[in-house]
Amino acid sequence: MAVTILDVAKLCGYSKATVSRAFACPEQVSDKTREKVYAAARALNYTPDAIARAMVRGRTDNIGFVIYEKQYPVVLNPFYSPIFESVLQTCAQHGYSLFISSDRDLHLPNGQTCVKKQMDGVILAGHSDMQTVLDLQQQNMPVVLLNNALDLDHLLCVTTDQYGGAVLAMRHLAERGHRRIGLIAGNFSPHVYMARYNGYCDVLREIGQPIDFRLVQSIEPTVEAAIACTSLMLSLSDRPTALFCTNDTIAIGAMKAVLRAGLCIPEDIAIVGFDDSENSRLVEPELTTVHIDKVAMGRIAAERLIAQIEQGPAEKQVIQTDVRLIVRQTT
Amino acid sequence: MAVTILDVAKLCGYSKATVSRAFACPEQVSDKTREKVYAAARALNYTPDAIARAMVRGRTDNIGFVIYEKQYPVVLNPFYSPIFESVLQTCAQHGYSLFISSDRDLHLPNGQTCVKKQMDGVILAGHSDMQTVLDLQQQNMPVVLLNNALDLDHLLCVTTDQYGGAVLAMRHLAERGHRRIGLIAGNFSPHVYMARYNGYCDVLREIGQPIDFRLVQSIEPTVEAAIACTSLMLSLSDRPTALFCTNDTIAIGAMKAVLRAGLCIPEDIAIVGFDDSENSRLVEPELTTVHIDKVAMGRIAAERLIAQIEQGPAEKQVIQTDVRLIVRQTT
DNA sequence: GTGAAAGCGCTAACAG
DNA sequence: CTGTTAGCGCTTTCAC
């Protein structure tokens, strides 16, 4: 793009400064001038250079959404994608654009942490290590943690009530009269895994049901793994009457295994999932699951990050969004 | 970030240029020097400013993935999200980062088209109007069209064999002996809609089956709309024995309607979808569908765009990825 | 409301 | 292998 602000200035007879203002703050320029400037710009097909602008303003109006590498792919992840979408919307509303990258992009060849790209702040989604966050903070790069919580000063974290959700799911099953309830848990980050696992154990304890470890399995959260795992559980002589799956993908795999075994849902086996992803409504019967307010998580993370960018450092805080049980047809 | 390259230069006793090289092209600097520079950088917590770098290099190493607004949300779209993911991967491999934005971001308040953000090229996904593409080209902004084709010089388009896919699906149904085949078509862009519709008509003609317009419906591509539409078709006295749905979401809605009507798939009604989205394997029975090579589409679009960025304008070309039928359990 | 001038932080010749 | 120098294109005081 060879044509610069100077070319426009020359053509319309005004100065660089006026042309600049016509684009950046149109209200500071008289109507007549603005029109002339725009006409000249159109004639030359001039377009302000975003980089030069960012350089001098010290602001890019970009935000980075950084995913822990292991959790790739983001966009296809039924849990993260609605969150990402919500972040995207919120950013757009506030005039920010969104970069998407993995945590690999956060390190220089010499090992230092930094934001190699042009962004005013970052949302770190999923796992992220403390040193990285510290480094970023030290470089005055606003940071918000999403679906993760770290105990650091001035760090804002947005999570959800993992434990409460598990308890909701389990109590619901217990109220339906289930006692032999299996757990198929995805091997998520310890933070998430333990909270959901504890919910399972605590409700079992509440109803006086001892834990049968043959009914507690930890797997990769894929449909295939869930099918295999469930099939095994179904072959038990005293098979469970209900399954609590720690995400919807697992629950869908469990459903497949049950249906393929010729059993009925929920009559023979009841199933509860977690996340309330889009997929939970795709399957038939539709899945009872714990709703996580992914829209709120994304929105809050983005809003709080933007607040930091525009108004300075955050207070240390963990914002926990509510969960609720969505009862559909699998229980 | 108050600390600049100059601070590091002073601290380590080298010049700005050397410090710059230590980060930008480490091999051009002696080991000893590099270590000293890095040490100083670490001490000051210095990090190169990506904006200033981009400014002087005239390159940002960023690519924009721009979606036609009406097709929002991108990330949740079962068709676009795998493509986006593939673009993301390819860009990462080549050292580019990805921006995601809608076509709204392509226009200045004065109506001019431009890339307001810092990117070296853009992938325009879905519908995009010709003037926008022309404007971008005139500004020397490399462009690739994805899932769309426009007849413009030096414009590279990546699409798929929409018509061929429809023919594959229909012939498959015909080979299974179906004659009364319904069409439930999503109201996609004319480009896509017509190709798939023509495939339907042509195969019916091949098998000497007149088109019954009660069996041809055009709807919003949502599960709900598909359920409603299918229910209606099922209530016909001479209901179809098979349904060709122009995407998987519609097919899944159709499946729900069929199952809820107490009918069996594929015994009573066979169903074929289009896209081979992740969802097609989630449902039970699993969906027979036309596979679109979304990974290839994303990769090719990204690679070609990068080629343009690095090696100059493209030849006018429409690259059409192959389709194939994936026969699962609904036919 | 408009213009002149001073950089923003970095890289890329070119020299040495 | 390292240093010097000249900007990249824009915004932003500060005058007028």
Side-chain angles (χ1 to χ4, degrees):
Chain A
M1 197 166 11
V3 35
T4 79
I5 203 170
L6 201 56
D7 301 309
V8 179
K10 274 181 195 146
L11 182 61
C12 67
Y14 288 95
S15 69
K16 275 166 48 169
T18 299
V19 176
S20 170
R21 282 191 275 256
F23 283 98
C25 35
E27 66 286 357
Q28 285 183 36
V29 156
S30 76
D31 291 0
K32 186 168 135 268
T33 307
R34 196 181 326 119
E35 281 319 311
K36 282 191 186 169
V37 171
Y38 286 172
R42 242 184 305 263
L44 296 171
N45 203 6
Y46 164 79
T47 259
D49 182 314
I51 289 293
R53 182 152 204 271
M55 165 97 150
V56 66
R57 293 198 327 148
R59 289 268 312 272
T60 62
D61 297 333
N62 293 154
I63 283 175
F65 191 92
V66 177
I67 312 276
Y68 183 57
E69 195 177 353
K70 304 273 169 58
Q71 263 149 355
Y72 251 63
V74 207
V75 173
L76 295 179
N77 184 314
F79 176 70
Y80 280 108
S81 67
I83 293 183
F84 180 74
E85 186 74 45
S86 174
V87 168
L88 194 54
Q89 305 280 6
T90 309
C91 286
Q93 280 162 25
H94 292 258
Y96 286 82
S97 296
L98 205 58
F99 256 123
I100 179 159
S101 62
S102 93
D103 60 330
R104 275 172 303 179
D105 287 347
L106 249 32
H107 297 277
L108 250 31
N110 75 351
Q112 274 185 278
T113 303
C114 90
V115 169
K116 288 190 295 195
K117 293 298 183 161
Q118 306 89 9
M119 42 188 96
D120 297 338
V122 293
I123 294 174
L124 299 178
H127 176 82
S128 51
D129 71 298
M130 197 168 281
Q131 191 55 51
T132 300
V133 178
L134 276 171
D135 288 346
L136 255 20
Q137 286 189 324
Q138 213 174 339
Q139 288 164 31
N140 290 317
M141 177 62 68
V143 175
V144 165
L145 254 51
L146 188 53
N147 200 38
N148 185 17
L150 246 37
D151 185 29
L152 288 175
D153 274 354
H154 299 291
L155 182 62
L156 192 112
C157 305
V158 180
T159 68
T160 198
D161 186 8
Q162 309 285 355
Y163 174 80
V167 168
L168 278 179
M170 286 297 294
R171 286 211 183 120
H172 170 71
L173 254 15
E175 278 161 17
R176 289 278 208 261
H178 294 285
R179 286 298 171 271
R180 286 191 58 73
I181 305 173
L183 174 72
I184 307 187
N187 53 2
F188 306 123
S189 63
H191 173 73
V192 172
Y193 182 91
M194 286 313 295
R196 297 183 186 179
Y197 178 75
N198 289 336
Y200 170 81
C201 295
D202 288 356
V203 172
L204 244 31
R205 197 168 304 125
E206 268 176 31
I207 61 173
Q209 180 75 14
I211 296 176
D212 179 344
F213 283 101
R214 293 173 308 155
L215 302 190
V216 176
Q217 299 295 333
S218 164
I219 63 169
E220 282 289 313
T222 66
V223 171
E224 293 68 31
I227 293 176
C229 177
T230 306
S231 301
L232 234 54
M233 259 193 220
L234 293 179
S235 66
L236 256 36
S237 59
D238 49 349
R239 67 169 193 237
T241 65
L243 254 21
F244 171 39
C245 302
T246 67
N247 86 2
D248 290 345
T249 302
I250 296 173
I252 288 170
M255 287 178 65
K256 280 179 176 287
V258 171
L259 292 173
R260 289 175 188 180
L263 299 171
C264 289
I265 302 172
E267 294 77 5
D268 299 316
I269 309 267
I271 295 180
V272 182
F274 209 114
D275 286 355
D276 191 26
S277 65
E278 290 287 320
N279 297 339
S280 62
R281 267 171 305 160
L282 250 34
V283 291
E284 198 70 18
E286 299 187 351
L287 184 66
T288 294
T289 185
V290 176
H291 176 81
I292 293 182
D293 196 343
K294 298 173 284 298
V295 172
M297 289 179 77
R299 180 177 40 73
I300 292 169
E303 283 174 353
R304 295 309 186 102
L305 183 64
I306 291 169
Q308 280 186 66
I309 292 170
E310 298 179 355
Q311 294 146 39
E315 294 299 307
K316 174 176 178 172
Q317 191 183 352
V318 175
I319 298 175
Q320 190 167 279
T321 60
D322 286 339
V323 293
R324 62 177 201 276
L325 189 74
I326 309 284
V327 180
R328 296 206 182 90
Q329 301 152 8
T330 58
T331 56
Chain B
M1 197 162 17
V3 33
T4 79
I5 203 169
L6 201 57
D7 300 308
V8 179
K10 275 182 194 146
L11 182 62
C12 66
Y14 290 94
S15 69
K16 275 167 49 170
T18 301
V19 176
S20 171
R21 283 190 276 256
F23 284 99
C25 34
E27 67 285 358
Q28 285 183 35
V29 156
S30 77
D31 290 1
K32 187 169 134 268
T33 307
R34 196 183 325 120
E35 281 318 311
K36 281 191 185 170
V37 171
Y38 286 172
R42 244 185 304 264
L44 296 171
N45 202 6
Y46 163 82
T47 259
D49 181 316
I51 289 294
R53 181 151 204 273
M55 166 95 149
V56 66
R57 294 199 323 148
R59 289 269 310 271
T60 62
D61 296 333
N62 293 153
I63 283 175
F65 191 92
V66 177
I67 313 277
Y68 183 56
E69 195 177 355
K70 302 275 169 57
Q71 264 150 353
Y72 250 62
V74 208
V75 174
L76 295 179
N77 185 313
F79 175 70
Y80 280 109
S81 66
I83 293 182
F84 180 74
E85 186 74 44
S86 175
V87 168
L88 195 54
Q89 305 280 5
T90 309
C91 286
Q93 279 162 27
H94 292 257
Y96 286 82
S97 297
L98 205 57
F99 255 123
I100 180 161
S101 62
S102 94
D103 61 330
R104 276 173 302 179
D105 287 349
L106 248 32
H107 296 277
L108 250 32
N110 76 351
Q112 275 185 277
T113 303
C114 89
V115 168
K116 289 190 296 194
K117 292 300 184 162
Q118 307 88 12
M119 42 188 95
D120 296 339
V122 293
I123 293 173
L124 298 179
H127 176 82
S128 51
D129 71 297
M130 196 168 280
Q131 192 54 51
T132 299
V133 177
L134 276 171
D135 288 347
L136 255 20
Q137 286 189 325
Q138 214 174 339
Q139 289 164 30
N140 290 318
M141 176 65 65
V143 175
V144 166
L145 253 51
L146 188 52
N147 200 38
N148 186 16
L150 248 37
D151 186 28
L152 288 175
D153 273 354
H154 299 292
L155 183 61
L156 192 111
C157 305
V158 180
T159 68
T160 197
D161 186 8
Q162 308 288 355
Y163 174 81
V167 168
L168 279 181
M170 287 296 295
R171 286 208 184 124
H172 171 70
L173 254 15
E175 278 161 19
R176 289 278 208 261
H178 294 284
R179 286 298 171 269
R180 287 192 57 73
I181 304 173
L183 173 72
I184 308 187
N187 53 3
F188 306 124
S189 64
H191 174 72
V192 173
Y193 181 91
M194 286 314 296
R196 296 184 186 179
Y197 177 76
N198 289 337
Y200 171 80
C201 295
D202 289 356
V203 173
L204 282 187
R205 196 167 306 126
E206 268 175 31
I207 61 173
Q209 179 75 13
I211 295 176
D212 178 345
F213 284 100
R214 292 172 309 155
L215 301 190
V216 175
Q217 299 295 332
S218 164
I219 62 170
E220 283 288 313
T222 66
V223 171
E224 293 69 30
I227 293 176
C229 177
T230 306
S231 300
L232 234 55
M233 259 192 221
L234 293 180
S235 68
L236 255 37
S237 58
D238 49 350
R239 67 170 191 233
T241 65
L243 254 22
F244 171 39
C245 303
T246 67
N247 85 1
D248 290 345
T249 302
I250 295 172
I252 288 170
M255 287 178 67
K256 280 178 177 287
V258 171
L259 292 174
R260 288 176 190 179
L263 299 171
C264 289
I265 303 172
E267 293 79 3
D268 299 316
I269 310 266
I271 295 180
V272 182
F274 209 115
D275 286 356
D276 192 26
S277 66
E278 290 288 317
N279 297 339
S280 62
R281 268 171 304 161
L282 251 32
V283 290
E284 200 67 26
E286 299 186 350
L287 184 65
T288 293
T289 185
V290 177
H291 176 80
I292 292 181
D293 196 343
K294 299 172 284 297
V295 172
M297 290 179 75
R299 180 177 41 73
I300 293 169
E303 283 173 353
R304 295 308 187 104
L305 183 64
I306 291 169
Q308 279 186 66
I309 293 171
E310 299 179 354
Q311 295 147 39
E315 292 302 304
K316 174 175 178 171
Q317 190 184 353
V318 175
I319 298 175
Q320 189 167 280
T321 59
D322 286 338
V323 294
R324 62 178 202 275
L325 189 74
I326 309 284
V327 180
R328 295 207 182 89
Q329 302 153 6
T330 59
T331 55

